[in-house]
Amino acid sequence: MAASSSAILSVLSSTPNVISSEKVKLGSCNFNSLLWQGKQPSFMRTKSLSKVTMSVATNVSRFESITMAPPDPILGVSEAFKADTHEMKLNLGVGAYRTEDLQPYVLKVVKKAENLMLESGENKEYLPIEGLVAFNKATAELLFGADNPVIQQQRVATVQGLSGTGSLRLAAALIERYFPGAKVLISSPTWGNHKNIFNDAKVPWSEYRYYDPKTVGLDFDGMLSDIKAAPEGSFVLLHGCAHNPTGIDPTPEQWVKIADAIEEKKHIPFFDVAYQGFASGSLDEDASSVRLFASRGLELLVAQSYSKNLGLYAERIGAINVLCSSADAATRVKSQLKRLARPMYSNPPVHGARIVANVVGNPTLFNEWKEEMEMMAGRIKSVRQKLYDSICAKDKSGKDWSYILKQIGMFSFTGLNKAQSDNMTDKWHVYMTKDGRISLAGLSSAKCEYLADAIVDSFYNVS
């Protein structure tokens, strides 16, 4: 009968004069096959006066040189918040809408759209590379207006993307391939992922002045100066509404001057529209900046997201739109966007696209959606007002906090520095990004006074 591996090991342990220069394999198949044939493994036949030496293979990872990545500055806030057990803790880091009870909210109109999808028995076949046709039509019309000449003349190339981030990334790939060396101008500050997107796409970027810490407002003169000083033909990344992270938007008059400067330098406007309808409560008002540039005959890019205004965070539904000077150019641009998308993710998911198409394409659901957006935007405006009132009631120094009311959308730039923001978290259990941004969507009216205490304390007692 063949000897077992354990028996061989027993022999090895009691035989001090055996040495092997080979790496020992302990698989029973190797030993058993040799002994069954009446053979002795080579390492047992080798004689030496030395003690037993066993060579053990060491597995060194091929990925040993890969270091640990730093935590995401926004998503990392949520992880720290979850670990905190304090009863008054607040998560004001992630830009996600919450109810007055600080619970996630699924829009009623979304549930109705999903029920319609179930009733119609939609299949799960692959979408075309460019996405759902009905979605692409609806989203372009929502952005520019259904009666806009650019829609009627078929001058907009629209491709469904993986929400705002994926749409921006696809546009960045288009810039890298067909505008080699062109620079993207990004506001200072901006959404934290913008720079990552262009870095990974190998598209050079630089910043233009936007935020004025002295006034906690817009540095409009600096913005215009930097746009005019940029190399001709640069891409200028603009937040269509509800600037993230500051909540500071140009006035309608300032938008006209920005368009003048961009047109004068033959730059290409590149809008990021993540909050249409969610900022002011009006879809048309929040798209007015994009429509202004389109009315000037400018070619431009627009990335869209439905994470906020329809609460479809997990569905990853958005689009990249390229407004061209002709229908022929739009057809060619769309073909290349599809070519870029194919090796990235092949084609986009269908569920969120059908929700949007059903809501926008159904007059009843569309009107219900507008009502819900007004409700969500109204709740954020309400807590913004109450926070301002609470701070003013507690701060008797005469400091002007009115910039909180002048900001728009779900975010507010508090004007707190990193040390003061750290105090907000360490002492008051208020979780926020270190640039002083807070998400008012994560604040309830009941906690406005608590947050006001934290802000006043941090502002005056931490340098």
Side-chain angles (χ1 to χ4, degrees):
M1 182 179 291
S4 66
S5 298
S6 59
I8 297 298
L9 288 174
S10 177
V11 172
L12 283 173
S13 64
S14 61
T15 310
N17 294 328
V18 174
I19 184 171
S20 171
S21 61
E22 301 178 13
K23 292 182 179 179
V24 179
K25 293 184 178 179
L26 300 182
S28 60
C29 181
N30 289 344
F31 286 123
N32 290 348
S33 61
L34 287 169
L35 293 173
W36 186 258
Q37 300 170 41
K39 297 179 181 180
Q40 188 183 40
S42 61
F43 67 80
M44 295 182 68
R45 297 197 302 269
T46 305
K47 295 181 180 180
S48 172
L49 296 178
S50 305
K51 63 181 181 179
V52 173
T53 302
M54 294 181 67
S55 175
V56 180
T58 302
N59 292 325
V60 178
S61 173
R62 298 291 181 90
F63 308 106
E64 198 67 28
S65 62
I66 296 180
T67 59
M68 181 65 71
D72 184 272
I74 296 176
L75 299 182
V77 171
S78 292
E79 294 173 4
F81 171 79
K82 289 178 182 177
D84 193 332
T85 59
H86 196 273
E87 62 178 6
M88 291 300 289
K89 67 178 183 177
L90 276 171
N91 185 0
L92 306 183
V94 178
Y97 182 80
R98 296 290 181 261
T99 65
E100 181 63 23
D101 296 326
L102 301 184
Q103 297 301 311
Y105 178 65
V106 179
L107 275 70
K108 296 175 183 176
V109 72
V110 167
K111 294 178 181 179
K112 290 183 179 180
E114 289 181 317
N115 286 333
L116 288 175
M117 290 159 57
L118 287 173
E119 291 170 5
S120 64
E122 300 280 4
N123 61 47
K124 300 295 183 182
E125 290 293 304
Y126 290 121
L127 284 180
I129 299 172
E130 67 266 34
L132 187 69
V133 173
F135 165 78
N136 288 343
K137 179 178 184 297
T139 195
E141 290 179 353
L142 192 73
L143 178 65
F144 292 100
D147 58 350
N148 195 310
V150 303
I151 297 293
Q152 297 171 350
Q153 295 163 10
Q154 299 182 334
R155 293 198 286 121
V156 182
T158 301
V159 170
Q160 180 185 334
L162 306 182
S163 200
T165 300
S167 301
L168 287 162
R169 183 62 179 80
L170 196 55
L174 184 76
I175 293 171
E176 190 276 334
R177 181 167 296 184
Y178 296 102
F179 299 85
K183 181 179 289 188
V184 175
L185 305 182
I186 301 173
S187 68
S188 177
T190 193
W191 177 50
N193 218 14
H194 278 150
K195 296 175 183 178
N196 296 332
I197 290 168
F198 293 109
N199 282 338
D200 277 15
K202 296 180 173 55
V203 173
W205 56 268
S206 63
E207 296 181 310
Y208 60 84
R209 284 168 283 179
Y210 193 87
Y211 172 68
D212 184 354
K214 295 179 181 178
T215 63
V216 195
L218 178 65
D219 183 357
F220 183 63
D221 291 338
M223 179 184 183
L224 280 187
S225 178
D226 290 345
I227 288 174
K228 292 177 180 178
E232 186 174 293
S234 297
F235 289 80
V236 183
L237 187 64
L238 302 162
H239 299 228
C241 62
H243 184 274
N244 181 1
T246 67
I248 302 164
D249 284 358
T251 65
E253 295 75 22
Q254 289 172 330
W255 273 120
V256 170
K257 293 181 180 178
I258 293 168
D260 289 341
I262 287 176
E263 187 172 11
E264 179 185 333
K265 289 294 304 237
K266 296 182 173 60
H267 294 326
I268 301 176
F270 184 176
F271 284 91
D272 185 354
V273 177
Y275 308 98
Q276 185 183 356
F278 192 78
S280 68
S282 166
L283 288 162
D284 292 328
E285 183 176 339
D286 290 347
S288 60
S289 59
V290 173
R291 295 177 187 180
L292 166 68
F293 280 67
S295 69
R296 303 278 287 261
L298 298 174
E299 294 186 302
L300 52 86
L301 288 75
V302 188
Q304 289 172 283
S305 168
Y306 288 92
S307 291
K308 307 300 190 299
N309 57 12
L310 265 171
L312 298 176
Y313 306 99
E315 299 297 349
R316 311 313 298 143
I317 178 64
I320 178 64
N321 305 267
V322 183
L323 172 57
C324 305
S325 59
S326 68
D328 177 64
T331 299
R332 286 183 279 109
V333 168
K334 186 172 184 176
S335 74
Q336 292 299 337
L337 285 171
K338 290 164 59 178
R339 184 183 180 189
L340 291 165
R342 175 61 171 158
M344 277 191 193
Y345 54 86
S346 191
N347 50 7
V350 70
H351 192 78
R354 284 180 177 152
I355 293 173
V356 175
N358 283 345
V359 170
V360 178
N362 182 309
T364 301
L365 293 184
F366 185 66
N367 288 330
E368 289 182 19
W369 178 37
K370 289 194 290 185
E371 290 176 3
E372 283 197 85
M373 271 191 296
E374 290 176 5
M375 178 274 293
M376 293 189 292
R379 196 191 84 76
I380 293 175
K381 290 177 183 177
S382 175
V383 295
R384 184 185 290 278
Q385 181 69 53
K386 186 165 183 179
L387 176 63
Y388 168 76
D389 292 341
S390 298
I391 291 176
C392 291
K394 294 174 184 297
D395 180 13
K396 305 301 183 182
S397 70
K399 173 179 168 56
D400 183 8
W401 293 91
S402 63
Y403 58 81
I404 292 176
L405 294 181
K406 294 175 183 176
Q407 297 164 357
I408 189 172
M410 64 164 51
F411 299 114
S412 175
F413 229 41
T414 60
L416 300 180
N417 60 31
K418 182 181 183 302
Q420 292 165 340
S421 298
D422 285 338
N423 184 69
M424 293 280 288
T425 302
D426 297 340
K427 179 178 177 180
W428 293 91
H429 304 271
V430 175
Y431 292 82
M432 55 193 289
T433 54
K434 300 308 178 184
D435 57 5
R437 187 198 79 171
I438 58 174
S439 171
L440 296 177
L443 176 64
S444 65
S445 296
K447 290 193 174 183
C448 281
E449 287 201 20
Y450 178 79
L451 180 59
D453 284 330
I455 291 174
V456 171
D457 171 65
S458 300
F459 184 80
Y460 287 108
N461 297 324
V462 179
S463 58

